[in-house]
Amino acid sequence: MTDRRPLHSRRDASRAAAAGALTLALLGLAPLAHAAPPPAAPAPPPAAGVAAAHEAASAPSTLETLSRFFARDGAVARSAAHPRIEGATVPVYTLSPAFVAGGHDAAIAQLDFLASAAVSADGQKASVWTVRTKDAWKVVNIATGDDETRYAAEGAHRLTGGTVFREPQINAWYVQRGDRVLPLDEDAVRAIGDKGTTVDAYRDRVRKAYGDKLPGSAYAKKGMAGGFGENAAAAGSGAAGSGADRPATAAPEGDGGPPVTATAATAAGAAALGLGLSVVAARRLRRR
């Protein structure tokens, strides 16, 4: 069929169509142009450090302490506890203050300690926390249950290659990869829903919750619980998280792994282990 419209009308129509196509293309690209890249994954501990931590958790002195730990409530005789370390030692990551501060290039979590699962002859479970001091990896705490290794395995199953981390202020566990954050326990579901959320949405939530409680803030200087840093951990359990179940704070150094400044709770655990004192169980926050 012959187009009988004047030439200038056909040109105007072509220009309008081209402009419309360009507008649609630009609108389609706009979200990509403004989307922030996902945060980088935190640096994993070196293999040599993980091996050294596992060796420390499996040492005869640690197993002896575990025997006392498992026998503390009379559930099993100390001589019959026969504790053993099961499975791999895993890194434990905790929500990063830099991420809470709103840094789009900050990793969502930072390394706090390494954990190994311990099991007694009667089936009790415990988590052995290990940190690197100036010279070597040392056991600094023993906590009831196997949260650290269990959630590490569950997170790897749900998002292969993701970062499993905890938000200690509410005792929640998550896994993050790319732009997604998924819940791993009931506390996390209450925080972000059972289907999870985006990294940006999670950043907004934690910034509103903890942005005024970061190191150097008036809140932190008062030593209030529930914020970040050693003062917050030492203040006890005035917030949702248990003071006795708070992590240490890692700072990378050397090939053996990060030296750690332990919180009051883990330092007390280290003293008990080193001096052979009676073991005080680090009980976890009960699920609400």
Side-chain angles (χ1 to χ4, degrees), residues 189-259:
V189 169
R190 280 191 287 269
I192 64 172
D194 59 355
K195 297 185 183 302
T197 187
T198 65
V199 167
D200 284 344
Y202 181 73
R203 183 189 291 107
D204 289 342
R205 190 188 74 78
V206 295
R207 185 169 53 207
K208 291 175 182 177
Y210 315 123
D212 60 345
K213 302 171 180 65
L214 293 168
S217 67
Y219 187 90
K221 289 177 180 178
K222 290 180 181 179
M224 301 293 288
F228 286 90
E230 292 181 62
N231 289 340
S237 56
S242 167
D245 193 28
R246 292 187 183 277
T249 301
E253 179 179 293
D255 294 336

Side-chain angles (χ1 to χ4, degrees), residues 8 40 53 87 112 119 135 141-142 144 157 169 172 197 218 273 285-286:
H8 63 85
D112 273 339
V119 182
D135 302 320
N141 194 37
I142 297 174
T144 57
H157 175 72
Q169 292 80 3
T197 187
L273 291 168
L285 180 68
R286 292 185 181 276

Side-chain angles (χ1 to χ4, degrees), residues 14-280:
S14 297
R15 289 172 181 167
L22 178 60
T23 300
L24 290 173
L26 292 175
L27 288 174
L29 291 174
L32 297 177
H34 291 87
V50 175
H54 189 275
E55 184 176 348
S58 306
S61 59
T62 304
L63 296 179
E64 173 59 27
T65 301
L66 281 166
S67 293
R68 301 201 308 274
F69 182 92
F70 287 129
R72 69 193 182 282
D73 292 330
V76 64
R78 176 176 168 181
S79 59
H82 302 303
R84 65 189 184 277
I85 300 298
E86 280 195 348
T89 295
V90 302
V92 179
Y93 300 96
T94 299
L95 178 63
S96 166
F99 181 84
V100 173
H104 285 274
D105 58 346
I108 200 167
Q110 63 185 18
L111 178 65
D112 273 339
F113 55 93
L114 301 185
S116 305
V119 182
S120 69
D122 65 337
Q124 295 183 72
K125 296 179 179 180
S127 182
V128 181
W129 297 8
T130 315
V131 301
R132 183 176 179 266
T133 59
K134 292 182 179 179
D135 302 320
W137 283 86
K138 295 183 178 180
V139 174
V140 296
N141 194 37
I142 297 174
T144 57
D146 61 348
D147 285 11
E148 289 76 15
T149 51
R150 179 162 50 88
Y151 287 125
E154 184 176 342
H157 175 72
R158 294 197 63 186
L159 279 181
T160 303
T163 298
V164 175
F165 70 99
R166 68 177 190 164
E167 184 183 331
Q169 292 80 3
I170 61 171
N171 204 35
W173 287 86
Y174 310 88
V175 60
Q176 173 263 328
R177 190 186 68 187
D179 188 46
R180 297 299 299 169
V181 179
L182 299 181
L184 295 178
D185 68 354
E186 294 179 358
D187 297 288
V189 169
R190 280 191 287 269
I192 64 172
D194 59 355
K195 297 185 183 302
T197 187
T198 65
V199 167
D200 284 344
Y202 181 73
R203 183 189 291 107
D204 289 342
R205 190 188 74 78
V206 295
R207 185 169 53 207
K208 291 175 182 177
Y210 315 123
D212 60 345
K213 302 171 180 65
L214 293 168
S217 67
Y219 187 90
K221 289 177 180 178
K222 290 180 181 179
M224 301 293 288
F228 286 90
E230 292 181 62
N231 289 340
S237 56
S242 167
D245 193 28
R246 292 187 183 277
T249 301
E253 179 179 293
D255 294 336
V260 179
T261 301
T263 61
T266 53
L273 291 168
L275 298 177
L277 303 177
S278 59
V279 175
V280 178

